[in-house]
Amino acid sequence: MSRNEHTQRLRQPEVLPMSREEMDALGWDELDILLVSGDAYVDHPSFGAPLLGRWLIRHGFRTGICAQPAWDRPDDILRLGRPRLFAGVTAGSLDSMLAHYTAFRKKRSDDAYTPGGKAGARPNRACIAYTNAVQRAFPGLPVILGGIEASLRRISHYDFWSDSVRKSVLLDSKATAITYGMAENAIVTLAETIATILDETGEVDLRALRPQLAGLPGLVVAGTRDDIPADAEVLELPSHEAILDDPKQLIEATRLLEKQVHQNKAWAVQETGGRMVLVAPPGPLLDTAGLDELAGLPFTRLPHPSYRERIPAADMIRTSVTTHRGCAGGCSFCTLALHQGRTIRSRSKGSILKEVRAITEVKGWTGSISDVGGPSANMWGAHCASDQSACERASCLTPRICKHYRVAQRDFVSLLRSVSDVNSVDHVRVASGWRIDLAVTDMQALTTMIREFVGGQAKVAPEHQVDHVLRLMRKPGFETFETFLDLFDKESKKAGKKQYVVPYLMSAFPGCTEDDMRALRAWLDARGWKPEQVQCFIPLPGTAAAAMFHAQCDMQGEPIFVAKTDAERLRQHAILMPDTGRAPGGKGHHGKGRRQPRSGGNRRAR
């Protein structure tokens, strides 16, 4: 059956099939695409595999899901049969190493994306393990990596858990290609390309396929320089071997990759052991119409009916609404800007209200919308009024908000009030983090937010108090946080509400010393604050902060102090969390760090 034939008659199933029986009920004799995921299958737009699965079905490709399969044998992957076009592999909503290990490399006991919240349902380095399992199950089938783990490991990267620089996961896994970033456009173009080749030749030869995939927007392939268009702008990244020889070269590679994503016009090329990793430009991103179409697909917002145990992340995001994509902040420790981009793409107000009305009809509706937001809640509607392709800034917001950046704080407040007006909605909360430097640009809008849409707690991210640490983090100066706090206290009292600010704080960041942590501790003590949870810095692959951690220098190449050993990191952490490493009875334990699944995914690592 050609793609055009089944496009005309393919309908969205109630759930994407995870078994032969479900395929038979749909009348599908085979799949076009199999998606293998490290997450349980929750049919919600915050989960990557079902999101892409429904999008592919919308474009005429029969797609099924293999969730959390065994990786040491092919049995689970074989269950749905060999797909016609390719298998897509994702580690899930988190990098699998982050899902498994704490900031002090101790094994976690839970996994919010697994039935029963149990750890161990996905392998370490899941992209590699799942790719190997698919290749054993279906020899010769194209395997395409995607999701946060593959996206942030698309070039040479520092791996905190092995304390080493690893090659692109494309080479380590021997996959066919990587779709990086938000992959809706890329994966449909990829599927159409492979389907065309298959219709013309009757088979897909992997060796011949890779050059034909080179240049598709949003894809990473192994190839040669001849695969790059002659007139293309090319960013030459330091080679893998150069980074091994000189850690500062990782700083340069990271800087160039950030530039490629933001400007969205050049190729990035990296040599590794004589092979070339080719990173095509991200290409067109879903605009408002595309995001509305995607959000309008018939998600049940519930776990697949085969599950018998609750899935914690599904409970947390069931009544949340993601309003936009992208993060203009570009914080050096965060993966959002490198994965989703700095450009804000917002859904329309009508689309958001339509989703809210759909949520009110889901079984178990309680009357409360738990979150209306995204990577940073109050970036909805924001945009750049200049030529982004020529922009050299690492952040739209620091060291100060760019003069070309347009915010829409009052429009966001208006949106929240419209959500409140939806029939049977009793409460609306903004649980996503607020970007405080944007919030204080419009005190009237901020006042309304504080009085009407705080569910007892406002989550904000000052991260630290010391200026030179904040600069390295690409965060606003601490006086911005103090301005926000003063207004929050005043307006909460006027509204007669007991409300609290929950500050995200971080220890052991590159450039932070024990004296810096004591300065933060002194500020907290002066306010009578005792933080219940503090994130000890984890160098996430691909981020600028991970490059600084490895190279022990800032993004300009100047040396900085870095707490490298666990002992040094624990000492810094214990300044804010004195019980870290101690437990009743003398047995030590280690803080897990902050992990907040929510609308838009994990704050650090979506």
Side-chain angles (χ1 to χ4, degrees), residues 556-570:
Q556 289 70 48
E558 296 299 320
I560 57 174
F561 173 79
V562 175
K564 292 279 283 187
T565 68
D566 279 357
E568 291 174 315
R569 288 157 54 77
L570 275 166

Side-chain angles (χ1 to χ4, degrees), residues 210-212 214-215 221-229 267 278:
R210 285 186 174 92
Q212 297 185 64
V221 298
T224 69
R225 293 184 185 276
D226 292 339
D227 296 320
I228 303 173
W267 289 62
L278 310 178

Side-chain angles (χ1 to χ4, degrees), residues 452 472 536:
E452 298 181 24
L472 292 168
C536 186

Side-chain angles (χ1 to χ4, degrees), residues 349-535:
K349 185 175 183 178
S351 169
I352 293 166
L353 295 178
K354 182 179 178 180
E355 182 177 359
V356 171
R357 287 190 286 269
I359 292 173
T360 67
E361 298 174 1
V362 174
K363 181 181 178 181
W365 168 245
T366 62
S368 295
I369 296 294
S370 61
D371 187 24
V372 179
S376 285
N378 54 336
M379 287 186 189
W380 180 75
H383 66 280
C384 175
S386 185
D387 180 7
Q388 180 179 301
S389 67
C391 176
E392 296 286 346
R393 289 179 61 127
S395 167
C396 303
L397 307 184
T398 58
R400 63 193 61 84
I401 299 174
C402 177
K403 64 182 181 180
H404 301 297
Y405 192 73
R406 303 291 183 263
V407 297
Q409 304 298 287
R410 295 189 191 189
D411 290 342
F412 183 53
V413 168
S414 175
L415 171 67
L416 295 174
R417 283 179 166 163
S418 295
V419 172
S420 298
D421 290 339
V422 171
N423 186 41
S424 85
V425 171
D426 300 321
H427 306 286
V428 177
R429 299 292 178 253
V430 177
S432 301
W434 298 5
R435 184 77 191 201
I436 52 178
D437 46 356
L438 293 181
V440 299
T441 63
D442 189 330
M443 291 301 191
Q444 181 179 333
L446 179 55
T447 295
T448 303
M449 286 272 290
I450 294 169
R451 289 186 169 209
E452 298 181 24
F453 300 109
V454 174
Q457 297 180 342
K459 297 175 184 176
V460 296
E463 301 294 356
H464 215 283
Q465 186 259 349
V466 177
D467 283 342
H468 74 89
V469 178
L470 291 170
R471 284 194 296 271
L472 292 168
M473 291 177 166
R474 298 178 185 158
K475 296 292 291 186
F478 196 69
E479 66 279 358
T480 304
F481 179 56
E482 293 182 311
T483 298
F484 174 85
L485 278 181
D486 290 344
L487 185 68
F488 187 91
D489 290 344
K490 181 176 71 175
E491 294 302 328
S492 294
K493 288 175 182 175
K494 283 183 179 179
K497 293 182 177 181
K498 286 189 175 182
Q499 298 185 147
Y500 304 93
V501 170
V502 178
Y504 290 126
L505 301 171
M506 187 181 295
S507 63
F509 191 80
C512 178
T513 66
E514 291 180 30
D515 284 344
D516 295 331
M517 292 304 301
R518 280 189 277 271
L520 175 56
R521 172 82 263 178
W523 185 90
L524 293 168
D525 288 344
R527 295 189 68 94
W529 283 11
K530 293 184 178 180
E532 295 181 0
Q533 193 175 42
V534 175
Q535 170 74 57

Side-chain angles (χ1 to χ4, degrees), residues 304-350:
H304 187 275
S306 63
Y307 295 120
R308 295 292 174 262
E309 296 180 282
R310 299 177 73 86
I311 299 170
D315 294 338
M316 284 183 266
I317 50 83
R318 184 172 299 168
T319 60
S320 68
V321 180
T322 301
T323 60
H324 62 280
R325 287 182 175 176
C327 183
C331 298
S332 64
F333 51 81
C334 184
T335 63
L336 281 166
L338 195 58
H339 184 61
Q340 293 194 14
R342 287 204 342 245
T343 303
I344 306 300
R345 290 91 67 201
S346 299
R347 292 171 56 193
S348 70
K349 185 175 183 178

